[in-house]
Amino acid sequence: MRTMLRFPRLLLLALTVLLLTAAIDDSTQRFLRGFDILGAVYRQVLSEYVDEVSPDELLHAGVKGMLETLDPYAELIEKRENSEVDALSRGRYGGLGIKVRNQHGRQFVSYIYEEILPLSNLRIGDEILRIDGASLADENITDLRSLLRGEPGTAVQLVVRRPGVGDSIDLVVQRRSVTLDPLPCVTLLDDNILYMKISRFTRSSADSVRNALRRAFATSRIRGVIVDVRDNPGGLLEAAVALVDQFIEPGELIVSMRGRQPTYARDYPSREEAIDAHVPLAVLVNGRSASASEIVAGALQDLDRAVVIGQRTFGKGLVQTLVPLTHDAVLKLTTSRYYIPSGRCIQRLVYKNGKASDAEHLEDETLFRTLRLGRPMRESIGIVPDISLPEDSLPPVLRSLEAEYAAFHFVAFYNNVIRPRQIPDIDAEVQTRFRRFADSLLLTGEDPLLDAADKLVAQAQVYELGEETVRHLKAFRSEVHSHRMQRIDAMWPQIRQLLVREFSAQLYGENARILQGLDSDRAVQEARTILGDDEAYEAALLNAHAQ
């Protein structure tokens, strides 16, 4: 009887093995078939296509097309682009030590790192026209990193147009080893609140944060800490974990990774003794806080360890792994999702066939709870702040000037023509200069109202509406222009503040710009108010997300 019962079980086991083997064989066959077809297409195009095709370009197009069906983070990084990997993993790279801003297809030097500034013959505001003989306009080059970065000691030939200088300038600029500063500003405010601006999470940022905190707590009676990760796009997961580690007791789960392959599953608990596990803490975020920044904000929020202030974060809960390939290439591939202590994944977008849909609109209404206070949290919408602040809404004239980086271009022009050694007095003379600058064709044409008036005049002439009509429209356009200048005068106190911050940045660096803006920064002032009052701090935690 026992033998008869065992036989169906053995038969079932055999059938299961056969089915699994068939599935594996089918998967393997489809893989090999796809690989053969890809190789055959590649060979045929290279040998038979009517025009000669570059093997490298064809390979890149094929890989790019394949990866575009996944998500925007998957990419092939070749040897010449590995400076990006170095910048992230080591916090340094070989290059010119500049930031470049793309404005209407034109490339401007927007920042020169402080360690490089005394050594560089570039200036802030320079428009880059050519790199090693290649015209940026003719060849439609927008991503300059691969052209500007390289081995320290090598040179780049540039042609630039400098503000206040008529002719273009030929420059030979030396590449150097550039260190990225993950902490552009650390300062103790006058109420003994420590402010820390973290711009990126690199290999060196953990030590930078740890050392800054130790110095501050050793020399001052710190009443609270503000961690500012606004506009921080992320970086290394380990660096974010190390920052949270400074504020919580050992053994607390900070973040977990889960992927399709067990290789990519990992928990990250706190390991170090906290520098201070009880000091009141605020984290400032906005819509450009992403990835590692959201781990910091979300973990501290889930552990009820910090008040999060600002706007909802970007919502990137996907983890990329750098997979080494042959020929010194690296594949950056999404291999897992990360989950913060409450169990939620904050990934906001769902990708299918390369197209994104907003997970916020899905029907999943799962609620998660913070670990100490049990506050309700939702998944898939980024980090929602405990205290939400509206984004700064600028009056139209300021929005127009900021959209065209008027303060940046004016200060770059002023610095090249006047060459001040310190921030000048923003007096009536500077105001007159700025009015003339704002009245230039470069900026006037970008004012939406003026632009509409210009189009009206042009269309009236095209349709031959008559001299009288055109005259009236031109008079209207002149009146709009006059009102624009009046609005600039009315907004001068705010414009003056923008100019002071821009002069600070261009003359002294990013730290000076941040310091100039702290007193008028609404999120910083909100954090100072809460951190300076124990009852307000507890109330902010308890009342957040109340339902």
Side-chain angles (χ1 to χ4, degrees):
M1 184 70 176
R2 185 175 300 171
T3 303
M4 293 177 64
L5 287 173
R6 188 182 300 139
F7 179 75
R9 294 177 184 173
L10 290 174
L11 180 60
L12 180 61
L13 179 61
L15 287 172
T16 302
V17 170
L18 285 172
L19 288 172
L20 286 173
T21 303
I24 292 170
D25 286 346
D26 181 59
S27 176
T28 303
Q29 287 172 6
R30 283 187 287 123
F31 167 77
L32 293 174
R33 175 176 174 273
F35 196 76
D36 286 344
I37 291 174
L38 283 174
V41 170
Y42 185 68
R43 287 192 300 271
Q44 288 298 314
V45 171
L46 288 179
S47 63
E48 306 297 335
Y49 185 66
V50 64
D51 295 319
E52 188 173 348
V53 178
S54 164
D56 289 343
E57 290 180 4
L58 186 61
L59 173 67
H60 293 159
V63 172
K64 182 180 179 183
M66 189 187 308
L67 296 180
E68 281 179 349
T69 65
L70 305 178
D71 59 46
Y73 309 110
E75 64 174 315
L76 179 68
I77 303 172
E78 295 199 83
K79 183 177 181 180
R80 65 177 180 271
E81 298 168 337
N82 275 341
S83 60
E84 282 299 296
V85 179
D86 292 340
L88 183 64
S89 62
R90 297 192 295 178
R92 57 191 306 114
Y93 68 94
L96 303 189
I98 64 174
K99 293 181 182 179
V100 179
R101 173 181 294 141
N102 183 339
Q103 185 179 354
H104 306 311
R106 301 165 66 187
Q107 311 294 332
F108 295 93
V109 177
S110 61
Y111 186 73
I112 303 177
Y113 287 99
E114 294 171 56
E115 64 180 293
I116 301 297
L117 188 57
L119 308 172
S120 178
N121 49 0
L122 281 166
R123 292 184 191 168
I124 294 174
D126 284 354
E127 181 185 358
I128 301 176
L129 305 177
R130 304 179 76 89
I131 301 176
D132 287 335
S135 168
L136 304 193
D138 294 344
E139 300 187 27
N140 195 29
I141 299 171
T142 55
D143 187 358
L144 309 186
R145 288 174 296 182
S146 61
L147 299 175
L148 297 179
R149 294 187 177 184
E151 288 297 319
T154 58
V156 184
Q157 292 184 330
L158 301 178
V159 178
V160 303
R161 183 184 292 121
R162 182 159 290 169
V165 178
D167 297 329
S168 60
I169 302 172
D170 294 331
L171 297 175
V172 177
V173 186
Q174 201 82 1
R175 291 188 179 97
R176 304 177 187 278
S177 180
V178 182
T179 302
L180 298 174
D181 185 1
L183 284 176
C185 185
V186 178
T187 186
L188 185 63
L189 304 176
D190 55 18
D191 48 4
N192 273 18
I193 303 293
L194 181 67
Y195 171 87
M196 304 178 67
K197 172 67 177 176
I198 303 175
S199 61
R200 58 181 60 83
F201 289 96
T202 66
R203 190 72 65 195
S204 63
S205 64
D207 288 336
S208 298
V209 169
R210 188 182 296 108
N211 293 337
L213 287 170
R214 284 175 177 167
R215 282 194 302 270
F217 277 88
T219 57
S220 305
R221 182 178 172 273
I222 304 298
R223 297 179 59 202
V225 177
I226 300 173
V227 177
D228 188 349
V229 291
R230 290 174 295 180
D231 301 315
N232 184 324
L236 294 180
L237 178 72
E238 293 83 355
V241 169
L243 187 147
V244 176
D245 218 346
Q246 308 307 309
F247 298 105
I248 62 176
E249 299 289 357
E252 298 271 17
L253 179 64
I254 296 173
V255 65
S256 299
M257 285 170 36
R258 296 289 182 268
R260 189 157 61 100
Q261 299 296 334
T263 311
Y264 300 113
R266 184 175 174 184
D267 293 335
Y268 290 83
S270 54
R271 299 183 184 279
E272 297 184 36
E273 284 296 330
I275 288 178
D276 193 313
H278 305 288
V279 63
L281 189 60
V283 181
L284 309 186
V285 297
N286 63 10
R288 292 174 297 278
S289 303
S291 191
S293 299
E294 295 175 287
I295 292 175
V296 170
L300 292 171
Q301 185 182 61
D302 274 2
L303 295 169
D304 297 296
R305 182 62 189 86
V307 175
V308 180
I309 300 173
Q311 294 88 42
R312 182 172 68 173
T313 61
F314 181 81
K316 182 179 181 294
L318 301 177
V319 182
Q320 283 72 51
T321 300
L322 299 175
V323 183
L325 305 176
T326 58
H327 304 291
D328 293 322
V330 175
L331 176 64
K332 186 168 78 168
L333 188 67
T334 301
T335 54
S336 53
R337 293 181 175 85
Y338 64 70
Y339 297 83
I340 48 180
S342 65
R344 57 187 169 133
C345 176
I346 59 171
Q347 176 64 24
R348 184 175 176 182
L349 297 177
V350 176
Y351 297 99
K352 188 173 183 180
N353 296 324
K355 295 181 179 179
S357 57
D358 197 330
E360 181 183 6
H361 303 303
L362 300 180
E363 295 182 359
D364 184 7
E365 294 293 326
T366 305
L367 274 182
F368 298 83
R369 298 282 175 178
T370 62
L371 274 65
R372 182 169 68 90
L373 299 175
R375 297 179 292 157
M377 300 288 171
R378 293 192 182 277
E379 194 173 33
S380 299
I381 53 173
I383 299 297
V384 176
D386 302 313
I387 298 176
S388 292
L389 300 178
E391 291 194 58
D392 292 336
S393 55
L394 297 174
V397 66
L398 279 186
R399 189 162 58 247
S400 171
L401 293 174
E402 284 221 333
E404 289 305 303
Y405 301 102
F408 166 78
H409 288 293
F410 173 77
V411 170
F413 179 86
Y414 189 98
N415 286 342
N416 275 294
V417 173
I418 308 299
R419 305 302 297 272
R421 295 186 177 182
Q422 59 186 18
I423 298 174
D425 292 330
I426 312 297
D427 53 17
E429 180 188 352
V430 174
Q431 183 176 4
T432 301
R433 285 177 177 272
F434 184 81
R435 287 180 92 259
R436 288 200 209 103
F437 185 81
D439 198 26
S440 68
L441 290 176
L442 173 67
L443 296 173
T444 300
E446 297 301 330
D447 183 281
L449 197 53
L450 273 175
D451 192 38
D454 286 335
K455 288 177 180 176
L456 275 175
V457 172
Q459 290 300 310
Q461 292 170 332
V462 168
Y463 285 96
E464 299 179 344
L465 297 184
E467 292 184 7
E468 186 69 12
T469 300
V470 171
R471 186 176 63 80
H472 280 301
L473 289 175
K474 285 183 176 179
F476 169 71
R477 195 262 183 211
S478 179
E479 187 176 348
V480 169
H481 174 263
S482 177
H483 278 299
R484 181 178 192 271
M485 301 314 293
Q486 290 173 15
R487 283 178 288 154
I488 286 176
D489 289 338
M491 300 299 298
W492 180 245
Q494 292 93 323
I495 294 172
R496 184 183 183 280
Q497 191 174 54
L498 289 176
L499 293 179
V500 170
R501 293 179 66 184
E502 193 60 46
F503 272 114
S504 299
Q506 294 195 25
L507 291 175
Y508 305 123
E510 191 62 22
N511 177 68
R513 179 206 292 271
I514 295 170
L515 290 175
Q516 282 287 351
L518 287 180
D519 287 341
S520 58
D521 190 318
R522 182 176 176 184
V524 171
Q525 297 310 313
E526 183 77 26
R528 293 177 72 174
T529 299
I530 290 171
L531 295 179
D533 184 329
D534 291 342
E535 291 185 4
Y537 181 73
E538 280 298 318
L541 285 175
L542 289 168
N543 296 332
H545 307 278
Q547 293 190 346

